[in-house]
Amino acid sequence: MSATALPADADELRAVVAGLVGATADEIADGDDLVLDWALDSVRAMAFVGRLREAGVSIDLMELSDVPTVAAWWRLIATRRPAGS
Amino acid sequence: MTAGGDALPLTAAQTGIWFAQQLDEGGAAFITAECLELRGPVDLDLLASAIRTAVDEAEGLHVRLDTDGELPVQRPHAPGDWPLPVVDLRDEEDPDAAVLAWTRSAWRRPLDLATDRLFDEALLRVADDRTAWFQRVHHLAADAMGLSLIARRAAEIHSALACGDEPPPAWFPSLAATLEVESAYRDSPAAGRDDEHWRARFAAPPRITTLTDRPESTGHEVHRASAPLDADLMALLRDASDAVDATWPELAMAAVATYVRRMATTAGHEDDEVPEEIVLGVPMLARLGPVALRSPATMVNVLPLRVALHGGSRPADVVRAVTDGMRGLRRHQRFRGEELRRTIGALGGGRALHGPMVNVLPFDYALDFAGVPAVVRTLGAGPVDDLSFNLYDRGDAPPRLDVEANVGRYDADETGLHAERFPVVLRRFAEAVLAHPEPAGERREPPAAGPVRDTPGPTVDGLELTTPEELARIAGWNATARDVDPALTLVDLLDRCRDAHPDAEAVRLGEHAVTHAELHARADVLATALRERGAGPGQIVAVAVPRSVDLLVALVGVLKSGAAYLPLDPDQPGARLRGMLDDARPVAVVVDPALDDLVPWPDALPLARPSGDADGSVGRATRDEVVAGGPSATVPAAMHGAPPVPVPDDAPDRVARAGDPAYVLYTSGSTGRPKGVVVPHGAIVNRLLWQDDAFPVGPGDRILQKTPVGFDVSVWELFWPLIAGVPLEVAPPGAHRDPRALAELIAGAGVTVCHFVPSMLALFVDEPAAAACTGLRRVVCSGEALPGDLRDRLRALLPGTRLDNLYGPTEAAVDVTHWDCTDDAPGTGVPIGRPVWNTGCHVLGAERRPVPVGATGELHLSGVQLAAGYLGRPDLTDAAFVDDPALGRTYRTGDLARWRPDGAIEYLGRRDHQVKIRGQRIETGEVEAHLTAAPGVVQAAVVARVDGIAGAATTRLVAYVVPASACDAGALRRRLAEALSDAMVPAAFVGLDALPLTVSGKLDRAALPAPEAPVAPGATDDRPPASPTEELVAGVFAELLGRDRVGPDEDFFLLGGHSLLAAQAAQRLRRALGREVSIGALFAAPTAAALALRLEDPDEAGALDVVLPLRQGGDRPPLFCLHPAGGIGWCYAGLTRLLPADQPVVALQAVGLDGSGTPPTTLHEMAADHVRRIRALQPEGPYRLLGWSVGGVLAQAVAALLEDDGADVDVLALLDAYPSDQWRDLAAPEESDALVALLNMAGHDPARLGTGPLTRERVVAALRDDGSALASLGEDVLNAMVGIVVRNAAAMRTHEHRPFHGSAVFFAAAAPRPEDWLDVDGWRAHVRGGLDVHALPCTHAELLRPPHVERIAAVLAPLLAPSN
């Protein structure tokens, strides 16, 4: 994901997340628990929150952490993205 | 306080905290706190309201802790109206400081879990536009994350209220919901998987490395030290971690692991293994899922992270190891650390799960209080068992490092040093990562040969740990330069003193004293004679003179001749001394005629007498055949900076210069040969002038010389007085071993300064005569570690006496560091102190680099006091004396040490296998070499062991021998004693089939067995003791030698006794017998038989006399012990030893034992007889009487008679004695009954003889096997005794008791017995004053033996106290 562009779809999100956890995109299933299955840490998660914010999406760490899956994250982003992005 | 509702269980986290708090009552370490600063104007009422609402919503804060049976529970209750004070600090001079102080104090206010609220809140007005919100909560109710959630909710409510909106609905889960999360996890398959993961991970239990060696404590208070983490360090951390695909907390963890490994392993014993793994404690938030994420409850879970770490690893590799490890941790982070401890069996066993913790707190705060930003400062994140590195990067607050350290395990100073040092090391680590981020496999190392163009950067071991500040500090501690004229020699100092005080007393021994002028005049004569024999600068002259004024003449004479002296200690074996002579090849020897036979002298060695007579030589050649002494072995190059010592040249009249040798002393060599240390004049001059300045002496002082001349302590004892102009008191030969003789000499001669090796000081402090040494102004200790409690005991005994501790090897002119104990707090340890003049102390680690303050290193020395080297051993000299580019010429001591933050050095032991035994330096290798060379020995190892002997921890040498056939300890011991000094002969020998080895093939010292108390050789052939004194002496020997028993003809010294033990033996015997026992007597008569004979005055009582004093001396009324049936009173000897030292004890035995006298036939006659004797010994009361068995009946009879006479009997002790009435109806005794009684008397249980007829032969054999003194009595005596027994038994049956109106104390042998009709109450008719009965769980025979006799002595002691 570039500095200001949001992922366009769930797969793009999956690729970004794969980068966060040091895996390849095809390894990560939509419903995988990113913490328990993929050992995502809070620092990287916070960095991700920061980048989302810069791109105009306001989701806080707590919300991301509620259901840490690609599927849930995509739903959040899709509903919060600014119009036209 | 509200009572609370239904009980809920505690979470696993809460339970762990609750139990820990039980052990650490009142500890404030369990209180978490934070302070939120709002920077902007706020409506305080609104804010307070928002805070109150948020806090009320957090159920977990409003509980009452309780117990249900044994288990803790929590009872939620309504929040109630808790206080929210507003504190106005705006008018304070420094409001920020005031906030800090107020919050610190509020945070640490004690909290009683049983009665107090679990949280406190307050608002602090700092300025008109700044408000601080203080929260504190007990860790049971919330953790740091929980506090931040409460803050977040409060901000949310406040912002809504400020806009006039409804606050969003509450979102804290209930306490029940939080508990449900935990139980749901526990029941889930994930829990099983996590359990398996952790078990597998910890199948091999980790070895925990940390930065303290103090054990775990129950307290959790911490020292806290902070350091800022500046902006460019943070940027560096981010860049470096990016370069290796890690997060900066992971990089920080890797840096901590590296720091811990490095700090813990800067130096150590050569047998130590460096840890290849560091286990960090990582607090995980462990908040997974919507409930856990939102609950203020405590969820933090500290889990162990195992980080593999090798010395050659690169920092980038360590970071990767951490990131890999953290992935595993995260996946299984819900498994509780408390559970893990239990699972791997670490709970309660003092085995920690992890070492230091790393706590990175980068919470995403972004709090907004109606547009006003808030800055957070965490005050305390929870209890710390060990050490914690907390890194805070909380958004707007400046990032910082807090090091928290458990106060029971770390000092405040060292905590501060870690905080000062770690950011520097962290920076170096991050730079190294950034410089070489590539993984190990991809690295291209530079070619082996040729110039290195691309420096690979530091490895873990290569990372520099010291900060520039601490290096500067250390340099300051070594700034010891003092102006000392480098041309001065010891002779110059001696001459100056003679010129200043020619007629003052210089040296005295007993009645014989000389002035400085006299001493020098005689020395000059000797010096001239020696020069004629070839002595001069660079030459060596040996000196064999006993401690005396002549010794001083000899030493000063040698020095004045320009030569160096080599002292030959008369206490060393001749063979060893001969070895030294062969090695040193002195040009001549000064010999006192008394020592002509000390050594098998080398042929044609020219001799001189202290008087200066130089006719003849020792050895076989006569004067005419003497060839002028050849040149001494080459003296190696001299000290750094000074010109090399010339080979003796053609001008023997040249006086010695500062670079010339002053003395040569031999020290133990690890390969079997002692080595000669050559000390130049300049070195010893510095040492003596320093001492003269540090320990000022003047008129009225007198310094004692007692240390044997082969030890370098003697050098200052001998020469300091002679350069300071203060009289030297010479102790007679042998006196240095006898604490009592020393005490008498010190007090009698007016000695004001003397030296002690700590083990000898311990004996001195125990010596009663030492209390008289109040004139002793100063005691100097060196040679061994000085324990703090010994210092405290000396202070208690002699409060006006200063104590100084010195340290130094022979290779650095006696001592290089000094510590004044005057201001030491009691119970603290004693460091070796600070360097002396012109001396540098360097605590170095790998590659001779300085180690940080507080870390262990090897102590290297530099400066003017270094020896020239080892005589004739350039290889050893080069190995030990190293030219360092930064430090100049240094000597490596092989000692481990560390700097304290105050600049004093602490001694931490050896790197190798050199040990100190009673202050003497010994290479175990040297003893091993001699053992291996002995015939019949295949392999040998010698180790120093610390075992408990005679109630104290004793260090002694133990030899492990693999013999060709059988191990003859006696022969080996004798062989070693002929070649080695007293301290070098092992105290015990253990035969083994093979020496145990470690996996790497080295000797496995830990696997060597403890030596058993050996059976005395030939014990079955050895005879039993022949008298109570012999028995007593043998008993004391056995106790001190750690053996079950010692035969009366066994030599104390051959059994492993040494001079220190001999001094203790003399002390104990003195106390036990109330008689004078000198150490000299023990040396002259080293067996129990011989010593007992010596101690028994021929005019005194024989063992069979009627009146047998068991202990004389003491001013109390004696305790009269009446004999039991056999007529012998020896059975009371054991009891005597246990009674106070000033309690005389007299045994009254039967008439007729030695065949003389007419024995009385009735008990009444016997009693009257004894009364006459008692009155003769003690004309006036009060009288004290004791009797065992028949003796008790006699004692009562004696008491009644004395009472009739009008005398006062204030102690009557009956030991399992029963009144005659209870024996009256029994059949008349036969011989077998008498024999049974005899056995009982000897304390030998008749039942052990089994069935079969009792004959005199069998009984005597049984007694002999038992080692009883009775068995040594001849036939006649035994017959007499049997007769006595029969007579006494008859007398008992016919006796009629007269009443005694006093009281008695009765000791009953309460073990089941066949004579079940015996009843103590039978006495009440005859002892009208009442009975104080003590029952002991033993048989009649065992009553007077340990341990039961100890109980009897304890009961009697207060009764025997001097009467009121």
Side-chain angles (χ1 to χ4, degrees):
Chain A
M1 171 174 128
S2 72
T4 49
L6 289 172
D9 56 31
D11 284 329
E12 260 184 52
L13 172 61
R14 194 194 317 279
V16 171
V17 167
L20 290 178
V21 302
T24 56
D26 51 6
E27 291 177 288
I28 305 183
D30 274 358
D32 283 352
D33 184 317
L34 295 174
V35 178
L36 292 175
D37 296 330
W38 290 103
L40 175 65
D41 68 277
S42 48
V43 174
R44 287 190 179 84
M46 272 197 281
F48 182 58
V49 164
R51 281 141 77 186
L52 286 177
R53 201 172 287 142
E54 279 167 32
V57 175
S58 175
I59 303 176
D60 73 27
L61 185 57
M62 195 179 286
E63 293 174 294
L64 269 192
S65 305
D66 272 344
V67 186
T69 65
V70 169
W73 286 10
W74 177 246
R75 273 195 297 279
L76 278 173
I77 291 172
T79 50
R80 303 259 182 105
R81 65 195 316 149
S85 65
Chain B
M1 167 125 194
T2 30
D6 289 337
L8 290 174
L10 301 190
T11 62
Q14 286 177 306
T15 308
I17 293 166
W18 190 87
F19 276 112
Q21 176 91 87
Q22 300 306 300
L23 294 173
D24 180 17
E25 288 178 32
F30 291 92
I31 301 174
T32 306
E34 74 172 25
C35 194
L36 210 80
E37 192 177 281
L38 278 66
R39 295 183 172 167
V42 269
D43 180 334
L44 278 180
D45 290 333
L46 219 58
L47 180 58
S49 171
I51 291 172
R52 185 171 293 279
T53 306
V55 169
D56 283 352
E57 286 172 0
E59 249 185 47
L61 261 49
H62 312 285
V63 296
R64 178 99 199 282
L65 271 303
D66 205 351
T67 46
D68 173 16
E70 280 176 7
L71 292 178
V73 293
Q74 50 190 337
R75 296 181 191 280
H77 58 77
D81 192 16
W82 44 271
L84 178 47
V86 178
V87 180
D88 197 336
L89 300 171
R90 287 175 297 178
D91 289 334
E92 293 288 324
E93 251 194 61
D94 184 350
D96 286 303
V99 169
L100 212 59
W102 192 98
T103 54
R104 286 239 162 85
S105 155
W107 166 36
R108 304 193 58 72
R109 210 173 293 138
L111 196 159
D112 183 345
L113 279 182
T115 56
D116 292 337
R117 210 174 37 249
L118 295 176
F119 67 93
D120 280 297
E121 306 283 341
L123 286 171
L124 308 169
R125 308 197 68 178
V126 189
D128 287 341
D129 60 350
R130 281 199 299 144
T131 308
W133 170 25
F134 169 78
Q135 294 199 80
R136 82 164 189 167
V137 65
H138 194 284
H139 211 41
L140 277 169
D143 56 16
M145 180 72 192
L147 282 182
S148 80
L149 288 169
I150 294 173
R152 188 187 166 111
R153 174 62 178 157
E156 187 182 68
I157 296 172
H158 175 267
S159 296
L161 290 179
C163 299
D165 290 337
E166 272 296 306
W171 43 266
F172 290 154
S174 67
L175 201 46
T178 307
L179 283 162
E180 170 57 30
V181 167
E182 189 167 276
S183 57
Y185 166 71
R186 257 198 234 111
D187 296 336
S188 72
R193 283 196 296 275
D194 290 348
D195 183 279
E196 269 175 46
H197 165 86
W198 285 109
R199 274 179 201 276
R201 203 76 186 82
F202 279 82
R207 196 181 113 189
I208 303 300
T209 301
T210 186
L211 298 181
T212 180
D213 41 29
R214 289 192 257 177
E216 288 187 39
S217 78
T218 52
H220 295 86
E221 290 301 319
V222 297
H223 295 299
R224 186 173 294 98
S226 284
L229 302 173
D230 58 42
D232 52 81
L233 174 58
M234 294 310 294
L236 171 63
L237 294 184
R238 292 195 164 92
D239 289 344
S241 48
D242 280 346
V244 287
D245 282 330
T247 61
W248 77 263
E250 285 161 350
L251 187 141
M253 281 187 235
V256 170
T258 303
Y259 179 73
V260 170
R261 177 197 146 110
R262 285 296 314 284
M263 286 293 291
T265 59
T266 41
H269 197 276
E270 59 193 24
D271 290 346
D272 282 348
E273 284 172 16
V274 180
E276 297 295 308
E277 172 186 70
I278 296 292
V279 186
L280 299 176
V282 184
M284 302 295 289
L285 292 180
R287 291 166 174 274
L288 300 170
V291 171
L293 280 166
R294 290 170 177 74
S295 172
T298 299
M299 298 206 161
V300 64
N301 185 20
V302 181
L303 288 170
L305 176 68
R306 300 179 76 154
V307 184
L309 200 53
H310 311 289
S313 305
R314 304 260 179 228
D317 300 332
V318 184
V319 181
R320 287 195 176 87
V322 169
T323 47
D324 286 344
M326 284 305 293
R327 283 199 197 104
L329 214 92
R330 268 179 230 120
R331 291 192 175 103
H332 305 281
Q333 64 179 282
R334 289 181 292 178
F335 195 83
R336 298 297 310 179
E338 302 88 5
E339 186 69 41
L340 187 55
R341 266 192 93 160
R342 270 192 293 277
T343 303
I344 68 174
L347 191 68
R351 280 191 50 212
L353 192 60
H354 55 77
M357 293 201 296
V358 185
N359 206 358
V360 181
L361 292 119
F363 294 147
D364 173 25
Y365 246 88
L367 284 177
D368 181 337
F369 284 78
V372 172
V375 168
V376 160
R377 187 179 181 94
T378 304
L379 287 164
V384 172
D385 288 336
D386 182 347
L387 189 64
S388 185
F389 292 81
N390 304 336
L391 295 114
Y392 297 98
D393 185 13
R394 309 285 298 267
D396 294 337
R400 77 173 196 276
L401 163 72
D402 272 0
V403 176
E404 296 189 330
N406 187 298
V407 304
R409 305 181 74 184
Y410 296 86
D411 296 330
D413 283 338
E414 66 185 301
T415 308
L417 286 175
H418 287 307
E420 189 187 275
R421 188 178 308 116
F422 183 69
V424 176
V425 175
L426 177 60
R427 176 184 298 272
R428 288 177 186 147
F429 185 88
E431 283 167 355
V433 169
L434 201 53
H436 286 274
E438 66 281 5
E442 293 168 21
R443 196 163 291 128
R444 277 181 309 111
E445 300 294 350
V452 175
R453 267 163 302 168
D454 168 35
T455 53
T459 57
V460 161
D461 273 352
L463 206 61
E464 180 56 52
L465 292 178
T466 57
T467 64
E469 289 77 22
E470 75 188 327
L471 289 178
R473 222 176 285 147
I474 293 171
W477 295 332
N478 275 324
T480 57
R482 263 305 267 264
D483 217 349
V484 173
D485 182 352
L488 279 177
T489 65
L490 181 49
V491 178
D492 291 333
L493 298 180
L494 291 166
D495 285 342
R496 268 194 214 167
C497 187
R498 183 243 358 249
D499 293 340
H501 324 266
D503 301 316
E505 183 184 327
V507 183
R508 181 175 81 182
L509 191 165
E511 299 299 313
H512 184 201
V514 293
T515 63
H516 288 269
E518 286 164 353
L519 176 67
H520 278 253
R522 290 168 58 182
D524 282 332
V525 169
L526 176 59
T528 306
L530 288 174
R531 278 173 178 265
E532 284 167 11
R533 311 313 300 254
Q539 298 289 353
I540 296 173
V541 175
V543 173
V545 177
R547 199 154 59 218
S548 57
V549 173
D550 274 352
L551 174 61
L552 271 303
V553 171
L555 296 177
V556 176
V558 171
L559 288 169
K560 278 170 172 269
S561 77
Y565 74 85
L566 165 62
L568 300 177
D569 183 350
D571 286 337
Q572 298 288 326
R576 191 171 179 75
L577 297 175
R578 173 59 192 261
M580 291 189 224
L581 289 172
D582 287 340
D583 193 64
R585 290 189 282 148
V587 68
V589 59
V590 180
V591 186
D592 184 292
L595 296 180
D596 275 353
D597 294 326
L598 178 66
V599 183
W601 302 103
D603 288 351
L605 178 61
L607 85 76
R609 301 298 186 190
S611 59
D613 287 343
D615 271 359
S617 59
V618 286
R620 293 201 304 261
T622 61
R623 181 180 196 188
D624 296 335
E625 294 159 8
V626 163
V627 175
S632 294
T634 312
V635 176
M639 347 164 262
H640 181 63
V645 175
V647 171
D649 57 15
D650 308 316
D653 292 340
R654 172 174 80 69
V655 295
R657 291 197 281 253
D660 290 324
Y663 60 87
V664 178
L665 288 177
Y666 275 81
T667 69
S668 185
S670 57
T671 54
R673 260 171 74 201
K675 44 194 204 258
V677 178
V678 180
V679 178
H681 280 273
I684 192 62
V685 161
N686 188 75
R687 169 65 184 72
L688 291 174
L689 289 178
W690 166 82
Q691 176 159 10
D692 202 35
D693 177 81
F695 305 158
V697 285
D701 276 303
R702 181 172 291 268
I703 300 168
L704 182 64
Q705 206 290 297
K706 70 187 211 342
T707 303
V709 74
F711 300 121
D712 65 355
V713 173
S714 67
V715 176
W716 69 252
E717 286 180 349
L718 291 160
F719 297 112
W720 174 35
L722 296 181
I723 70 169
V726 154
L728 170 62
E729 185 77 29
V730 177
H736 58 282
R737 287 193 217 105
D738 185 344
R740 179 143 117 161
L742 280 178
E744 286 167 358
L745 176 59
I746 289 169
V751 168
T752 61
V753 183
C754 77
H755 173 271
F756 279 101
V757 167
S759 45
M760 199 54 187
L761 181 62
L763 276 196
F764 180 76
V765 162
D766 262 351
E767 172 53 54
C773 298
T774 49
L776 198 55
R777 285 184 41 233
R778 185 188 299 271
V779 166
V780 179
C781 269
S782 68
E784 282 171 331
L786 174 57
D789 76 282
L790 181 55
R791 169 206 56 220
D792 298 339
R793 280 161 58 204
L794 178 67
R795 214 183 253 163
L797 178 72
L798 297 172
T801 303
R802 300 174 70 116
L803 177 63
D804 292 273
N805 191 32
L806 300 183
Y807 156 89
T810 307
E811 289 88 338
V814 194
D815 304 294
V816 288
T817 66
H818 164 240
W819 178 258
D820 178 353
C821 296
T822 301
D823 296 325
D824 285 0
T828 55
V830 184
I832 57 176
R834 303 194 170 87
V836 301
W837 290 357
N838 298 307
T839 295
C841 290
H842 314 283
V843 181
L844 306 181
E847 291 157 39
R848 301 178 59 87
R849 292 207 316 268
V851 302
V853 172
T856 303
E858 184 181 347
L859 184 58
H860 295 243
L861 307 172
S862 64
V864 143
Q865 287 189 197
L866 295 195
Y870 298 113
L871 191 54
R873 312 287 295 277
D875 52 334
L876 294 181
T877 302
D878 287 341
F881 293 86
V882 176
D883 269 318
D884 185 290
L887 305 172
R889 185 163 181 264
T890 61
Y891 169 70
R892 55 185 312 179
T893 64
D895 288 322
L896 296 172
R898 66 176 163 221
W899 287 108
R900 293 190 338 184
D902 67 352
I905 299 173
E906 283 182 337
Y907 171 79
L908 299 173
R910 291 290 306 173
R911 291 206 66 237
D912 58 12
H913 300 291
Q914 188 194 95
V915 297
K916 287 285 186 88
I917 300 285
R918 303 193 291 287
Q920 286 186 54
R921 172 172 145 185
I922 294 164
E923 293 283 353
T924 54
E926 185 173 350
V927 184
E928 279 167 6
H930 279 265
L931 271 177
T932 318
V937 174
V938 175
Q939 266 191 298
V942 174
V943 304
R945 290 185 60 101
V946 182
D947 292 311
I949 297 200
T954 313
T955 304
R956 52 186 190 148
L957 287 182
V958 177
Y960 295 89
V961 177
V962 177
S965 47
C967 175
D968 184 351
L972 285 175
R973 191 191 299 278
R974 269 187 290 279
R975 187 192 164 93
L976 292 181
E978 277 161 27
L980 300 173
S981 70
D982 167 74
M984 295 178 79
V985 178
F989 289 77
V990 178
L992 296 175
D993 291 331
L995 293 178
L997 300 177
T998 62
V999 205
S1000 37
K1002 293 167 72 165
L1003 176 67
D1004 187 353
R1005 279 151 204 274
L1008 291 168
E1012 288 164 3
V1015 176
T1020 48
D1021 306 324
D1022 213 11
R1023 62 172 184 79
S1027 74
T1029 308
E1030 235 180 62
E1031 198 158 348
L1032 194 148
V1033 173
V1036 169
F1037 283 2
E1039 209 175 81
L1040 288 171
L1041 293 170
R1043 296 163 136 246
D1044 283 339
R1045 64 174 292 271
V1046 166
D1049 293 319
E1050 295 190 81
D1051 185 309
F1052 177 76
F1053 298 100
L1054 283 184
L1055 291 179
H1058 52 72
S1059 41
L1060 205 72
L1061 282 184
Q1064 282 180 286
Q1067 263 180 355
R1068 285 184 194 204
L1069 288 171
R1070 226 174 267 142
R1071 267 203 289 273
L1073 296 170
R1075 242 177 287 172
E1076 177 51 52
V1077 181
S1078 72
I1079 286 200
L1082 182 50
F1083 276 94
T1087 67
L1091 186 57
L1093 208 60
R1094 244 181 116 91
L1095 295 176
E1096 282 159 6
D1097 189 329
D1099 294 334
E1100 274 182 15
L1104 300 175
D1105 284 1
V1106 177
V1107 175
L1108 176 68
L1110 289 175
R1111 186 203 269 141
Q1112 297 159 328
D1115 46 16
R1116 301 187 193 181
L1119 175 65
F1120 290 100
C1121 300
L1122 284 302
H1123 63 84
I1128 299 235
W1130 303 359
C1131 54
Y1132 300 114
L1135 173 64
T1136 304
R1137 285 196 59 208
L1138 295 169
L1139 294 173
D1142 56 350
Q1143 174 63 54
V1145 180
V1146 177
L1148 293 167
Q1149 308 196 110
V1151 173
L1153 276 174
D1154 56 1
S1156 70
T1158 320
T1161 47
T1162 67
L1163 274 179
H1164 179 82
E1165 274 174 34
M1166 288 179 214
D1169 222 11
H1170 286 315
V1171 167
R1172 268 193 295 281
R1173 290 196 187 85
I1174 287 171
R1175 288 285 222 178
L1177 288 169
Q1178 183 191 342
E1180 302 282 322
Y1183 293 98
R1184 284 129 182 228
L1185 306 166
L1186 179 147
W1188 177 46
S1189 203
V1190 168
V1193 175
L1194 265 178
Q1196 189 271 349
V1198 167
L1201 283 174
L1202 283 169
E1203 191 185 59
D1204 280 350
D1205 251 0
D1208 174 30
V1209 176
D1210 70 351
V1211 176
L1212 174 62
L1214 305 175
L1215 273 55
D1216 210 45
Y1218 298 92
S1220 305
D1221 346 27
Q1222 297 180 9
W1223 298 98
R1224 215 183 300 290
D1225 299 328
L1226 295 180
E1230 300 172 2
E1231 175 157 318
S1232 56
D1233 298 315
L1235 291 171
V1236 167
L1238 204 61
L1239 287 169
N1240 272 320
M1241 231 165 40
H1244 186 111
D1245 189 348
R1248 282 164 55 195
L1249 281 174
T1251 53
L1254 262 189
T1255 61
R1256 289 193 191 196
E1257 291 71 34
R1258 284 189 69 205
V1259 168
V1260 169
L1263 293 176
R1264 185 174 290 128
D1265 284 346
D1266 226 12
S1268 169
L1270 292 182
S1272 64
L1273 300 170
E1275 269 295 301
D1276 292 343
V1277 181
L1278 281 174
N1279 274 322
M1281 285 175 65
V1282 171
I1284 288 170
V1285 171
V1286 172
R1287 205 167 27 248
N1288 283 346
M1292 268 277 274
R1293 284 153 174 72
T1294 58
H1295 180 63
E1296 297 284 346
H1297 286 283
R1298 294 152 100 109
F1300 169 66
H1301 295 87
S1303 62
V1305 57
F1306 187 94
F1307 297 93
R1313 71 208 302 170
E1315 307 91 344
D1316 53 7
W1317 62 90
L1318 296 174
D1319 180 6
V1320 61
D1321 284 334
W1323 278 113
R1324 297 194 190 276
H1326 313 301
V1327 178
R1328 302 276 173 86
L1331 290 168
D1332 177 24
V1333 180
H1334 298 261
L1336 284 95
C1338 61
T1339 64
H1340 182 81
E1342 291 167 336
L1343 208 56
L1344 280 172
R1345 294 196 145 187
H1348 311 289
V1349 68
E1350 287 156 25
R1351 172 93 189 278
I1352 294 175
V1355 171
L1356 288 177
L1359 299 176
L1360 295 170
S1363 45
N1364 307 322

